[in-house]
């Protein structure tokens, strides 16, 4: 069986590649290397075929899906902050690319899709943790682009017999991460170990999940979900504030007396479209037998240790 992993040279995608190769699958990767890196692909040339290509081009999408049995779609621009200044980037990288991929799957008769969505589709839920049936009310163009992808996928499952598993990930962290708060804090502290600028007032709440747990959840959902269209939250069971993340990063890096400087925009958030509080209910995944090994604080700590 051959599986296509879009964005397979990126953070989550490359860990999915490792796992599927270990399970004996042949893997093809399509990546435009906008943020991904070929050195993330350990088994390149043996069990992995890599195609440098861009899903914004329909012809690249068609070439990529040719002859595969299933598609794991992880290519996207994952930077929520970019979407505030550059909404068009998110529309193109996420919605147009996903549409091209779905069209390619329809035309080539590929019937199975796993999609990396995001907790940002919920926007600012009225209470946390939020379950999969909560309303979809994104407050960033990134979140809106993921919601648009989910809806396109839903229609394709109804119209063209594609089976889809949609994963709404919380903040995924671990080795090879190159964006987001943990990466940002580590970089800033490497440049200046005496001071740390925190975007927002530091009280923003998030759930963090370690990459190994996220990969395990993804595989489990793919194997066990039985409907034509399936949605799962993927997160650990607790949540921590951005200030707590800062503290863990500082301590794990062995630093002391770091001055924290908060930079809030409106309502204490770090940028327009930043969400104040988000955490996810994971009962649906747990019903399939999932249990995260690390909680949010442990996931952040393990990530820092792995990147030092
Ligand atoms: P990443 O940037 O490391 O991976 C994305 C990959 O897609 C990169 O390798 C990039 O080069 C590639 N890519 C981007 N646009 C492309 C295009 N048009 N054609 C081909 N390849 C393209 O980010 P990640 O953190 O690994 O995210 C993977 C997926 O998971 C994304 O869809 C992201 O939105 C989603 N997600 C991530 C998180 C997280 O916390 N990391 C949370 C929720 C959802």
């Amino acid at each position: 069986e051959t599986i296509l992993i879009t964005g397979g040279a990126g953070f989550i995608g490359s860990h999915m590649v490792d796992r599927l190769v270990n399970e004996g699958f042949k893997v093809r990767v399509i990546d435009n290397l906008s943020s991904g890196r070929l050195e993330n692909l350990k088994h390149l040339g043996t069990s992995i075929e890599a195609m440098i290509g861009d899903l914004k081009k329909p012809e690249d999408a068609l070439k990529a899906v040719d002859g595969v049995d299933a598609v794991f779609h992880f290519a996207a621009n994952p930077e929520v902050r970019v979407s505030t200044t550059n909404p068009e980037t998110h529309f193109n990288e996420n919605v147009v690319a996903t549409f091209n991929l779905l069209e390619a799957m329809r035309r080539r008769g590929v019937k199975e899709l796993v999609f990396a969505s995001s907790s940002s589709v919920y926007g600012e839920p009225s209470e946390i943790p939020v379950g999969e049936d909560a309303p979809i009310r994104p407050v960033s163009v990134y979140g809106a682009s993921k919601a648009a992808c989910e809806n396109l996928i839903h229609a394709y499952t109804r119209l063209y017999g594609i089976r889809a598993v949609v994963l709404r990930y919380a903040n995924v962290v671990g080795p090879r991460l190159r964006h987001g708060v943990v990466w940002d804090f580590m970089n800033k502290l490497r440049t200046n170990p005496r001071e740390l600028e925190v975007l927002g007032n530091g009280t923003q709440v998030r759930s963090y999940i370690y990459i190994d747990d996220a990969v395990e959840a993804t595989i489990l959902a793919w194997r066990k979900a039985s409907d034509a269209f399936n949605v799962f939250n993927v997160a650990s069971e607790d949540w921590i504030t951005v200030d707590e993340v800062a503290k863990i990063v500082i301590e794990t890096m062995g630093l002391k007396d770091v001055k924290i400087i908060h930079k809030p925009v409106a309502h204490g958030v770090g940028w327009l479209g930043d969400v104040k509080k988000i955490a996810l209910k994971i009962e649906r995944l747990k019903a399939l037998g999932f249990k995260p090994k690390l909680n949010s604080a442990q996931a952040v700590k393990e990530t820092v240790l792995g990147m030092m």
Side-chain angles (χ1 to χ4, degrees):
E1 238 182 302
T2 305
I3 296 180
L4 172 70
I5 306 189
T6 75
F11 164 51
I12 306 180
S14 68
H15 286 279
M16 290 306 309
V17 170
D18 289 349
R19 171 69 180 257
L20 290 167
V21 167
N22 283 341
E23 299 215 357
F25 292 98
K26 274 174 57 190
V27 170
R28 182 184 299 158
V29 165
I30 179 170
D31 203 296
N32 67 359
L33 302 182
S34 54
S35 61
R37 295 176 305 161
L38 285 178
E39 62 254 44
N40 286 342
L41 298 172
K42 284 192 283 186
H43 307 271
L44 197 57
T46 50
S47 336
I48 305 177
E49 182 196 330
M51 176 182 160
I52 314 296
D54 198 315
L55 292 171
K56 294 193 292 307
K57 298 185 192 149
E59 63 275 19
D60 284 6
L62 265 177
K63 237 187 277 168
V65 304
D66 203 36
V68 305
D69 302 286
V71 175
F72 281 55
H73 181 33
F74 285 74
N77 184 322
E79 276 282 4
V80 186
R81 257 189 289 165
V82 172
S83 75
T84 55
T85 48
N86 251 331
E88 204 184 338
T89 304
H90 272 96
F91 184 75
N92 289 325
E93 295 291 345
N94 301 352
V95 185
V96 174
T98 300
F99 175 71
N100 288 342
L101 183 69
L102 285 167
E103 269 300 278
M105 289 178 68
R106 177 177 76 84
R107 288 171 62 183
R108 292 287 179 265
V110 181
K111 298 290 187 202
E112 207 151 299
L113 177 66
V114 174
F115 175 62
S117 187
S118 162
S119 60
S120 61
V121 297
Y122 297 115
E124 297 272 8
S126 49
E127 55 181 53
I128 60 164
V130 60
E132 288 90 345
D133 292 328
I136 300 301
R137 299 267 188 274
V139 297
S140 64
V141 175
Y142 170 77
S145 76
K146 288 290 181 185
C149 292
E150 285 193 12
N151 284 337
L152 278 171
I153 292 167
H154 184 263
Y156 272 68
T157 63
R158 294 298 282 262
L159 292 167
Y160 308 117
I162 291 173
R163 186 182 88 96
V165 180
V166 168
L167 292 322
R168 292 184 183 149
Y169 296 105
N171 279 38
V172 186
V173 294
R176 304 180 196 156
L177 179 68
R178 287 172 77 82
H179 62 91
V181 62
V182 178
W183 164 256
D184 187 36
F185 284 174
M186 285 188 79
N187 276 337
K188 284 176 176 162
L189 287 166
R190 280 193 181 117
T191 316
N192 182 358
R194 275 178 298 265
E195 196 176 285
L196 178 62
E197 182 190 87
V198 171
L199 300 177
N201 66 8
T203 62
Q204 307 105 294
V205 164
R206 303 262 180 287
S207 172
Y208 297 81
I209 180 165
Y210 196 64
I211 183 70
D212 295 356
D213 281 330
V215 169
E216 181 62 31
T218 307
I219 297 287
L220 199 67
W222 173 51
R223 290 235 157 94
K224 292 200 171 169
S226 51
D227 295 337
F229 182 80
N230 309 272
V231 178
F232 291 93
N233 284 341
V234 181
S236 54
E237 286 186 275
D238 65 345
W239 46 87
I240 53 180
T241 64
V242 171
D243 274 348
E244 285 171 281
V245 172
K247 189 164 170 266
I248 296 166
V249 174
I250 289 166
E251 279 173 12
T252 313
M253 287 177 81
L255 302 172
K256 278 199 188 80
D257 304 323
V258 179
K259 189 171 169 222
I260 308 268
I261 299 164
H262 289 115
K263 282 268 167 76
V265 295
H267 322 299
V269 296
W271 58 88
L272 289 176
D274 184 20
V275 170
K276 194 81 222 277
K277 273 192 178 154
I278 181 75
L280 307 176
K281 277 193 189 139
I282 58 165
E283 269 58 34
R284 223 180 250 186
L285 257 187
K286 283 166 76 182
L288 301 183
F290 178 68
K291 174 124 189 55
K293 291 202 173 74
L294 302 186
N295 64 22
S296 291
Q298 292 165 331
V300 171
K301 183 169 181 183
E302 196 64 24
T303 301
V304 178
L305 287 172
M307 294 205 298
M308 276 177 35

